[in-house]
Amino acid sequence: MREDTPSRTAAWVAAARGLGRLLPREIRLADDPFGAAFTSLALARMIEEAASDIPPSTSLATALHMIRSPLARMPGLQRWILYMQVRTRVIDDVVRTFALQDNAQLVLLGAGYDCRALRLPELGETRVFEVDHPATQGHKRRVLDKIGYTSPSTYVTWDFETQPMDDLPAALAESGHDPTAPTLTIWEGVTMYLTEPAIEASLAAIRAWSAAGSQLAMTYFARGRLARPTLTTRAIAAVVARVGEPWRWGWVPDELPGYLEERGLVLVDDIALADAARELLPLDLARVVDDADRRFALAATPESIAVIER
Ligand SMILES: C[S@@+](CC[C@H](N)C(=O)[O-])C[C@H]1O[C@@H](n2cnc3c(N)ncnc32)[C@H](O)[C@@H]1O
């Protein structure tokens, strides 16, 4: 992350969530009316106009042609939009289930422009804490203000690389997080950008604020994606490095259960998002989400396994 610059990758993933509104309603997996505004208010307006005008069953390619932004012509955009649909839906489903319990809390670690606190009515009274770099969080708050929304989230600013992660559980508690109540921590699209010490320190902090019944939902790269990148992956890696957010970290999937166990967490589920795409999208669209090295994992504090398996 660059010290004074809001995360560009956070804007790209949020824009892809916003562009998902161009998919016909019957196959849309997640609806994010806020996402595009963090890239530009003009883009958000164009999506709203196009989305309200699209005849049913219009293909995504045709719908994208209705958007007059250069972003809509980006190579690989359809794949990115569909991937973000799947990733968002998989995590939304975890959130919805978790929020059914009393006293549930949500920590969005590296929240970026995630607007679940505004998007998901199922959160009800669930308290949401958003932790992110000051530059990104500042931009988020300014944009929401501009478009006239106040998020019910509690904001905590933190730099995972330069501030001691040991202090984050106490900072959360000072902001109202209850360390004795179950917490779902969402670490979405963040692990790949962190150094190994920040990964270790973050996991120790997550474990520290995770009471019995807590879960960790995270996305990660299989290490092979970084060690043996395809041409496309190399091109994307170059772009994210150029904006100051290089990819740094991945896990070997077979090693993840043992790795997490050593850090006090039990792996409950670990899937390639390409496999989730086959369960969630029509086959012709699922085929587009073909990268087996982008994964989702769900872990839990050992005390909460019995609850999850019921
Ligand atoms: C790709 S974005 C994902 C955002 C969000 N979780 C989502 O999926 O929409 C990565 C996020 O990690 C945050 N991040 C990366 N490095 C960070 C650091 N050292 N300290 C704090 N936040 C950081 C960025 O600000 C950004 O919001």
Side-chain angles (χ1 to χ4, degrees), residues 74-252:
M74 221 175 72
L77 183 62
Q78 286 191 58
R79 188 179 191 221
W80 185 233
I81 293 171
L82 292 167
Y83 163 74
M84 282 307 300
Q85 282 283 300
V86 173
R87 164 171 141 182
T88 306
R89 173 60 171 272
V90 165
I91 299 178
D92 281 356
D93 284 350
V94 172
V95 172
R96 289 189 179 104
T97 304
F98 195 84
L100 292 174
Q101 55 188 305
D102 290 339
N103 303 323
Q105 308 172 98
L106 211 60
V107 171
L108 306 179
L109 192 61
Y113 307 130
D114 176 333
C115 286
R116 287 193 170 90
L118 284 163
R119 276 198 307 110
L120 299 182
E122 296 89 340
L123 279 172
E125 298 301 303
T126 305
R127 296 209 55 186
V128 181
F129 299 86
E130 298 196 13
V131 187
D132 209 315
H133 192 277
T136 308
Q137 204 167 74
H139 180 66
K140 181 178 202 171
R141 299 180 73 162
R142 281 190 297 279
V143 171
L144 285 178
D145 215 32
K146 232 186 249 175
I147 61 175
Y149 282 90
T150 306
S151 170
S153 291
T154 300
Y155 293 103
V156 177
T157 56
W158 212 264
D159 186 327
F160 310 141
E161 297 286 350
T162 62
Q163 287 182 266
M165 291 301 288
D166 298 4
D167 293 344
L168 185 52
L172 278 170
E174 272 165 37
S175 303
H177 176 260
D178 178 356
T180 66
T183 298
L184 169 63
T185 300
I186 297 183
W187 211 12
E188 179 184 5
V190 181
T191 56
M192 55 293 290
Y193 297 102
L194 300 182
T195 59
E196 185 170 5
I199 290 282
E200 286 287 359
S202 298
L203 278 168
I206 292 166
R207 189 62 189 89
W209 70 59
S210 295
S214 295
Q215 294 178 22
L216 165 65
M218 69 174 193
T219 59
Y220 75 97
F221 285 173
R223 194 166 288 163
R225 183 172 166 82
L226 302 175
R228 295 176 300 282
T230 60
L231 270 182
T232 311
T233 302
R234 251 189 268 175
I236 308 172
V239 173
V240 294
R242 207 174 322 128
V243 299
E245 299 174 54
W247 289 334
R248 294 176 158 130
W249 182 256
W251 280 278
V252 176

Side-chain angles (χ1 to χ4, degrees), residues 47-85:
I47 293 173
E48 281 320 303
E49 278 166 26
S52 62
D53 229 16
I54 297 175
S57 309
T58 305
S59 75
L60 184 55
T62 306
L64 281 170
H65 272 289
M66 298 166 76
I67 304 286
R68 282 170 290 103
S69 159
L71 187 85
R73 314 281 168 268
M74 221 175 72
L77 183 62
Q78 286 191 58
R79 188 179 191 221
W80 185 233
I81 293 171
L82 292 167
Y83 163 74
M84 282 307 300
Q85 282 283 300

